[in-house]
Amino acid sequence: MPNPSRNPTRSYHLRRSPPVVAIIGATGAVGNELLGVLERRRFPLAVLRAYASPRSAGSVLPFCGRDLTVEALSADSFDGVDLALFSAGSKTAREYAPIAVRNGAVAIDNSSAFRMDPVVPLVVPEINQAEIEGHNGIIANPNCAAIIALLPLWPIHRRNPIRRVVIATYQAASGAGAAAMTELREATLAFLEDRPYPPRVLPHPYAFNLFSHDTPIDPAIGYNDEETKVISETRKIFGAPDLRIGVTCIRVPVLRAHAMALTVECEQPITPEEACGFLSDMPGVRLIDDRERNHFPMPSDATGQDAVLVGRIRRDLSDPSGRSLAVFAAGDQLLKGAALNAVQIAERLLP
Amino acid sequence: MPNPSRNPTRSYHLRRSPPVVAIIGATGAVGNELLGVLERRRFPLAVLRAYASPRSAGSVLPFCGRDLTVEALSADSFDGVDLALFSAGSKTAREYAPIAVRNGAVAIDNSSAFRMDPVVPLVVPEINQAEIEGHNGIIANPNCAAIIALLPLWPIHRRNPIRRVVIATYQAASGAGAAAMTELREATLAFLEDRPYPPRVLPHPYAFNLFSHDTPIDPAIGYNDEETKVISETRKIFGAPDLRIGVTCIRVPVLRAHAMALTVECEQPITPEEACGFLSDMPGVRLIDDRERNHFPMPSDATGQDAVLVGRIRRDLSDPSGRSLAVFAAGDQLLKGAALNAVQIAERLLP
């Protein structure tokens, strides 16, 4: 359960509002969405600065009808910055987030660099926003598959604690970045035109194909990094260190929304109707469960949506105890799975 | 467990060899593969006849370097036929398979029409070929997702009985026929060229999208027909009426190979190494489980292959008892999932 105040001596708010905001990794898939989400949600801004690697410096990004010129990231970039939104990978986050914090900023990091650090809050605001209060300058944004799984699990878990979850994911290209999205489009066009297309970004042919998630595998247990993130981050966010989770992460030829099949076992019996009631009340979740029209969560409906779509809620027929349900979910990997969740955290930091 | 002789008074063999063979539904996706499999496996043939609906009559199909002209199916089509391979849907099978049998043929049916009929053997030869002996003229070919799931489950089940399976499928377009495969290609090209493409064959947009299987849903339990087939056919083929199965069937934008994530709970503890040993000995299964190179079963590797590819064999971390494993499989839906399995049954009918 959330620890409301790890650091009661320091205000958790940004030091001023409207804040000076920096996006680190502004030219990436998540960076681009961060710009869109800040604009759409009218996030209060004194100044917005966009940083990226030297290779991308000088690019111009549209923001609120104006041009934002991307600068090369350096140790000096955080002077006067109040809020630093990192979407630039673990290495950059490890190097620069502490610099941002030393400059008085709060850093919200999309990478996995700090997620499992016990003093860093790992936050999905609809679930554990109270954790934000204990931050020491860095707040971690969870793994995209974890966020999309947890939003439908939480309203069940808090009424009828979940003992076990088995998850099979259907993950989009966007999780591997903008270059992987381009590769999916190009590889597919090449396939349709009967041209060869050697994979560049992902390790396997992607046109009309799917494959086990392309993160390294722990040889001792056979789980890949994406799967171990889903397990450990779920336990941290739920404050449930013993929650039993089995997960298979698969990359599918979809552009930017993850889907997943969840089999959930609760402590007490639960009916699909009860679960639908719990899910209907959950902020950030939209129930799409139309059996007659065969309409359930799909990436095409989830793309561009803030809400995680949830449906196909039914008894798990493999558990005669009546304690297990099957659920299917889909959520925009770049929005709730990344940029939107980060901005929602930032909104809670405004004084 | 198999019932070796439901009908001991009648020979289960075809009445002559080489037989006169008829393919019913020859112009469909499975029919086309039946031709290819018969040719490739040099199935002994006196005559091969190809039947389809009147609309397709007159089409010419290549077979063994010659032209095979498709005829319109009628009640007279089975005169002199020894073996009738049906790949034409349940309605056609229900009407014409009994006519074929009255004419002295054995009918092998790819549809679901007869699968759950208690006097009709439902056969995956590597698992329960002894069932063939009891046939009364009709033998049913199982659902494609069931076949691809069962091939890796069987070698585990017969050493350490499986109590529970949770399955999430990643099913290809081919399961909905040749028109769905064309729709996937056309819808995807339209998407890439930014043109609208209203779905015609499948109920939802298919380009870079996935959706719950497009079969009707039982309103009482919320499972679709594909899912209930996987459950009931698995139980029948394994002779395990109480096997607990939970399944979610999802259509993914892949052309012709199904994949699936299986979570398997056995009666006794089992290690991944033991399971790999069992799977290595299983005919029709090929182990692809290279953690270092991140190479596991993929539709692109399974396409055109007879074997079901199996890998990612690891402990199910959600079950601390050591009795559960996670497995990923991929198999060509048109080959082992349909045409190949039917021809393998037919081979066992040759006198």
Side-chain angles (χ1 to χ4, degrees):
Chain A
M1 287 300 123
N3 168 3
S5 59
R6 281 201 193 88
N7 186 3
T9 61
R10 169 183 167 150
S11 162
Y12 69 87
H13 288 126
L14 301 179
R15 62 186 163 188
R16 68 188 143 188
S17 183
V20 174
V21 176
I23 297 180
I24 297 88
T27 54
V30 175
N32 185 53
E33 292 300 319
L34 280 169
L35 290 169
V37 173
L38 290 173
E39 177 169 341
R40 174 161 59 87
R41 294 174 77 91
R42 300 172 195 274
F43 190 89
L45 289 166
V47 179
L48 180 64
R49 303 189 198 158
Y51 294 104
S53 64
R55 179 167 48 85
S56 297
S59 334
V60 172
L61 302 170
F63 182 73
C64 290
R66 284 193 280 180
D67 284 346
L68 190 64
T69 302
V70 176
E71 299 168 64
L73 180 67
S74 78
D76 302 328
S77 301
F78 300 93
D79 191 28
V81 168
D82 304 306
L83 172 67
L85 299 170
F86 282 81
S87 57
S90 292
K91 193 165 165 286
T92 302
R94 264 192 221 98
E95 184 173 351
Y96 290 97
I99 299 174
V101 174
R102 278 202 296 278
N103 277 268
V106 177
I108 300 175
D109 179 31
N110 267 286
S111 84
S112 63
F114 303 102
R115 287 181 193 151
M116 295 312 295
D117 184 328
V119 305
V120 172
L122 181 65
V123 177
V124 180
E126 295 88 342
I127 298 174
N128 65 341
Q129 67 168 326
E131 287 289 310
I132 296 172
E133 294 178 27
H135 79 79
N136 285 296
I138 298 175
I139 300 166
N141 209 41
N143 169 276
C144 49
I147 296 176
I148 293 163
L150 296 193
L151 231 55
L153 293 179
W154 178 249
I156 298 170
H157 181 67
R158 64 182 178 156
R159 267 88 159 204
N160 188 344
I162 294 172
R163 306 205 296 197
R164 181 185 185 185
V165 194
V166 173
I167 307 174
T169 72
Y170 303 69
Q171 293 185 234
S174 57
M181 297 171 76
T182 302
E183 175 150 307
L184 175 56
R185 298 179 73 113
E186 288 181 353
T188 305
L189 188 60
F191 183 101
L192 291 170
E193 292 176 347
D194 213 11
R195 287 184 284 108
Y197 186 93
R200 290 156 210 183
V201 180
L202 290 165
H204 302 293
Y206 206 175
F208 303 111
N209 193 29
L210 55 86
F211 43 87
S212 187
H213 199 276
D214 43 290
T215 36
I217 292 181
D218 180 335
I221 55 169
Y223 281 71
N224 61 48
D225 278 358
E226 185 81 355
E227 291 163 349
T228 54
K229 283 175 195 169
V230 169
I231 295 171
S232 53
E233 296 182 24
T234 296
R235 289 173 173 163
K236 178 169 176 175
I237 295 165
F238 277 14
D242 299 320
L243 183 56
R244 291 152 45 196
I245 306 171
V247 55
T248 301
C249 287
I250 302 293
R251 185 83 72 190
V252 295
V254 164
L255 285 163
R256 60 173 280 174
H258 288 354
M260 52 195 70
L262 305 139
T263 305
V264 184
E265 182 186 321
C266 294
E267 279 187 6
Q268 302 298 326
I270 183 166
T271 66
E273 294 69 28
E274 279 178 285
C276 286
F278 300 161
L279 286 159
S280 305
D281 291 344
M282 175 72 187
V285 161
R286 186 147 58 88
L287 206 56
I288 299 192
D289 205 0
D290 186 341
R291 292 177 179 179
E292 207 168 307
R293 288 177 52 239
N294 214 318
H295 191 208
F296 302 108
M298 297 191 286
S300 61
D301 282 346
T303 295
Q305 296 292 313
D306 287 354
V308 172
L309 312 182
V310 185
R312 290 226 68 201
I313 297 157
R314 61 206 195 281
R315 278 192 54 205
D316 164 22
L317 294 179
S318 74
D319 180 359
S321 76
R323 290 187 285 101
S324 295
L325 297 175
V327 175
F328 198 73
D332 190 307
Q333 186 272 330
L334 293 173
L335 289 175
K336 187 59 191 171
L340 173 64
N341 197 71
V343 173
Q344 287 174 318
I345 294 170
E347 287 169 348
R348 284 154 176 84
L349 296 171
L350 291 169
Chain B
M1 289 298 122
N3 168 2
S5 60
R6 280 203 192 87
N7 186 3
T9 60
R10 169 184 165 149
S11 162
Y12 69 87
H13 288 125
L14 302 179
R15 62 187 162 188
R16 68 188 143 187
S17 184
V20 173
V21 176
I23 297 180
I24 296 88
T27 55
V30 175
N32 186 52
E33 292 300 318
L34 281 169
L35 290 169
V37 173
L38 290 173
E39 178 170 341
R40 173 162 60 86
R41 295 174 75 93
R42 299 172 196 274
F43 190 90
L45 289 166
V47 178
L48 180 64
R49 303 189 197 158
Y51 294 103
S53 65
R55 178 167 49 85
S56 298
S59 333
V60 172
L61 302 171
F63 183 73
C64 291
R66 284 193 280 180
D67 284 346
L68 190 64
T69 301
V70 176
E71 299 167 63
L73 180 66
S74 77
D76 302 328
S77 301
F78 300 93
D79 191 28
V81 168
D82 304 305
L83 171 66
L85 299 171
F86 280 82
S87 57
S90 291
K91 191 164 166 284
T92 302
R94 262 191 222 100
E95 183 173 353
Y96 290 97
I99 298 174
V101 173
R102 278 203 295 278
N103 277 267
V106 176
I108 300 176
D109 179 30
N110 267 287
S111 83
S112 63
F114 302 102
R115 288 181 191 151
M116 296 312 295
D117 184 328
V119 305
V120 172
L122 181 65
V123 177
V124 180
E126 294 89 342
I127 298 174
N128 65 340
Q129 66 167 327
E131 286 289 311
I132 296 172
E133 294 179 27
H135 78 78
N136 284 296
I138 298 175
I139 300 166
N141 209 40
N143 169 275
C144 49
I147 295 176
I148 293 163
L150 296 194
L151 231 55
L153 293 179
W154 178 248
I156 298 171
H157 182 66
R158 64 182 177 155
R159 268 89 157 204
N160 187 346
I162 294 172
R163 306 203 297 198
R164 181 185 185 185
V165 194
V166 173
I167 306 174
T169 72
Y170 303 68
Q171 293 185 234
S174 57
M181 297 171 76
T182 302
E183 176 149 306
L184 175 56
R185 299 179 72 113
E186 288 181 352
T188 305
L189 188 60
F191 184 100
L192 290 170
E193 292 176 347
D194 213 11
R195 288 185 282 109
Y197 185 93
R200 290 154 210 184
V201 180
L202 291 165
H204 302 293
Y206 205 175
F208 303 110
N209 193 31
L210 56 86
F211 43 86
S212 187
H213 199 276
D214 43 290
T215 35
I217 292 181
D218 180 335
I221 56 169
Y223 281 71
N224 60 47
D225 278 357
E226 186 80 353
E227 292 163 348
T228 54
K229 284 176 196 170
V230 169
I231 295 171
S232 53
E233 296 182 23
T234 296
R235 289 172 173 165
K236 178 169 177 175
I237 294 165
F238 277 13
D242 299 321
L243 183 56
R244 292 151 46 196
I245 305 170
V247 55
T248 300
C249 287
I250 301 293
R251 185 83 72 190
V252 295
V254 165
L255 285 162
R256 59 173 280 174
H258 288 354
M260 52 195 70
L262 304 140
T263 304
V264 183
E265 182 186 322
C266 294
E267 278 187 6
Q268 302 298 325
I270 183 166
T271 66
E273 294 70 26
E274 279 178 285
C276 286
F278 300 160
L279 286 159
S280 305
D281 291 343
M282 176 71 187
V285 161
R286 185 147 58 88
L287 206 56
I288 298 192
D289 205 1
D290 186 341
R291 292 178 178 180
E292 207 167 307
R293 289 177 53 239
N294 214 319
H295 191 207
F296 302 107
M298 297 190 286
S300 61
D301 282 347
T303 295
Q305 296 292 313
D306 286 354
V308 171
L309 312 181
V310 184
R312 290 227 66 203
I313 297 157
R314 59 206 196 282
R315 278 193 54 207
D316 164 21
L317 295 179
S318 75
D319 180 1
S321 75
R323 290 189 284 101
S324 294
L325 297 175
V327 175
F328 198 72
D332 190 308
Q333 187 271 330
L334 293 173
L335 289 175
K336 187 59 192 171
L340 173 64
N341 197 70
V343 173
Q344 287 174 318
I345 294 170
E347 287 168 348
R348 284 154 175 85
L349 296 171
L350 291 169

